[in-house]
Amino acid sequence: MGSTRRGGRTGRLVAAGVVCGAALAALTVPTAQARTIDGHGGSVHWAEKDSGSPQVRFRGLAAVDRDTAWLAGTAGTVLRTTDGGASWRNVSPPGAADLQFRDVEAFDARRAVVLAIGEGEASRVYRTDDGGATWTESFRNTDPKAFYDCLAFFDRRHGLAMSDPVDGRFRILSTSDGGRTWRVLPADGMPAALDGEAGFAASGQCLVTSGPKDVWLATGGGAHARVLHSADRGQTWTAADTPVPAGDPARGVFALAFRDRTHGLAVGGDYRPDQPSPQAAAVTADGGRTWGPAATPPPAYRSGAAWLPHSRTAALAVGPTGTDLTTDGGRTWRTIDTGSYDTVDCTWDLSCWAAGEKGRVARLER
């Protein structure tokens, strides 16, 4: 989730719209070289930032704005920058070195919530209100059958986390105080899970929100890759099949991105590098009730996706073999970069960030 700040930004929004228009124009020019997004000497490109943590894989990313971003990764690592990636501060929770952080949701430069994934007590949630100087463990899973994958917030107070199915249904955790306390929601409104169905903790984007009440959950592993939708903050859900291939524990929808409560993207495939990923993207224009295949999908597995701000048609998808761009709302995609990234996030001021293996983090720059 990007910044949730709303006030005092009219002038900045106008300026950001101008920047976005120029950047989008550059993005749509065919690529001439790897790692350069526009093909004109790098005027718009992924500019790598030195995280100082080459041993860490960052699958959790929360971009607040052009200056501030949070990363969450392996070995219990949480980093934060407030100077556009020029420097990173290690703000990892103490005693968390054995945990695998896969998702982080930031409200601003000081307040953030991180999720550790895994079976049983390995699944935990921490919150900070002072930029990571101190953390409070606000949830520790005690059910050995639960495995939490992703979390997402509607606003600064209301959020959800999702677990793989427990007793045949996905489990939903809810907070109404910004992640300070959590409770498991009743399973009555959740459809039955398919055999072998689960979520993928690959990018922090298997659970996403839009507006005050709508939330979507991505699945794979079962006979069909599905997207589940709730319009009441996780109380009741409906399920829809997608054309993204599944039928194997390594295949399905890995990430979702909604630019509003109607228009959404799904990306995924087969995460095994020696396996092809046909039909690795899908689109919806009815809030996830139905999904259609991308006419020209990304050429390989993709684990993260984000809409470009101030655009109704442009979005990015990332994965271990590259970054793809769509300029027609997800119907066609083309590869614009060959660097490896697991997750991507964009904010109102066009501060798109990406992160992944070997401590890699980058920001879209001109």
Side-chain angles (χ1 to χ4, degrees):
M1 181 186 70
S3 173
T4 58
R5 290 177 290 181
R6 294 289 184 265
R9 64 178 194 179
T10 302
R12 290 180 294 168
L13 282 171
V14 173
V18 174
V19 172
C20 181
L24 180 57
L27 280 165
T28 58
V29 177
T31 303
Q33 58 184 17
R35 314 179 76 75
T36 297
I37 291 181
D38 71 341
H40 285 291
S43 63
V44 177
H45 62 286
W46 284 128
E48 290 192 29
K49 309 294 181 180
D50 184 6
S51 71
S53 303
Q55 75 283 4
V56 178
R57 186 165 195 166
F58 293 111
R59 294 184 183 271
L61 166 66
V64 176
D65 53 35
R66 184 171 179 77
D67 296 320
T68 302
W70 298 68
L71 300 172
T74 54
T77 306
V78 179
L79 304 185
R80 184 191 64 144
T81 183
T82 57
D83 56 11
S87 64
W88 294 85
R89 176 173 295 182
N90 189 326
V91 294
S92 305
D98 293 332
L99 300 179
Q100 305 295 312
F101 288 127
R102 295 292 182 93
D103 201 354
V104 56
E105 303 291 319
F107 306 110
D108 50 40
R110 296 183 60 79
R111 291 171 286 187
V113 179
V114 296
L115 171 72
I117 61 98
E119 296 179 350
E121 293 191 3
S123 286
R124 305 179 194 180
V125 178
Y126 294 81
R127 176 181 167 111
T128 182
D129 291 292
D130 54 14
T134 61
W135 293 86
T136 300
E137 181 184 309
S138 58
F139 172 77
R140 182 180 297 205
N141 174 51
T142 57
D143 189 333
K145 295 178 289 185
F147 184 117
Y148 285 85
D149 299 293
C150 295
L151 74 159
F153 277 80
F154 302 94
D155 52 43
R156 292 175 180 265
R157 294 171 50 217
H158 301 91
L160 302 176
M162 53 103 22
S163 164
D164 289 340
V166 176
D167 298 328
R169 299 176 190 272
F170 284 93
R171 175 168 289 181
I172 303 298
L173 200 63
S174 175
T175 181
S176 58
D177 57 11
R180 294 177 179 87
T181 60
W182 298 84
R183 66 184 181 93
V184 175
L185 294 182
D188 300 351
M190 177 65 71
L194 304 177
D195 289 344
E197 191 175 29
F200 293 106
S203 61
Q205 296 175 326
C206 60
L207 186 73
V208 300
T209 64
S210 181
K213 293 185 178 181
D214 286 276
V215 57
W216 295 264
L217 184 161
T219 82
H224 304 282
R226 304 197 296 174
V227 174
L228 280 63
H229 171 238
S230 171
D232 55 12
R233 291 183 182 163
Q235 299 292 330
T236 59
W237 298 78
T238 57
D241 291 346
T242 76
V244 176
D248 184 279
R251 295 201 297 259
V253 175
F254 282 71
L256 299 169
F258 276 78
R259 67 172 173 81
D260 53 40
R261 65 188 307 267
T262 302
H263 299 88
L265 308 169
V267 300
D270 191 318
Y271 69 74
R272 294 170 294 192
D274 61 339
Q275 296 296 313
S277 291
Q279 296 179 311
V283 296
T284 182
D286 58 12
R289 288 190 293 274
T290 60
W291 292 83
T296 305
Y301 157 71
R302 296 294 181 252
S303 55
W307 289 91
L308 267 69
H310 311 291
S311 174
R312 298 177 61 84
T313 58
L316 298 170
V318 300
T321 62
T323 298
D324 301 294
L325 169 73
T326 179
T327 57
D328 56 14
R331 290 186 291 276
T332 63
W333 296 83
R334 65 178 178 87
T335 302
I336 56 174
D337 182 87
T338 58
S340 174
Y341 297 104
D342 292 314
T343 186
V344 60
D345 194 17
C346 297
T347 66
W348 65 271
D349 61 352
L350 200 69
S351 55
C352 292
W353 297 75
E357 62 181 343
K358 299 179 180 178
R360 298 190 68 222
V361 57
R363 190 181 68 180
L364 197 65
E365 293 188 0
R366 176 174 295 280

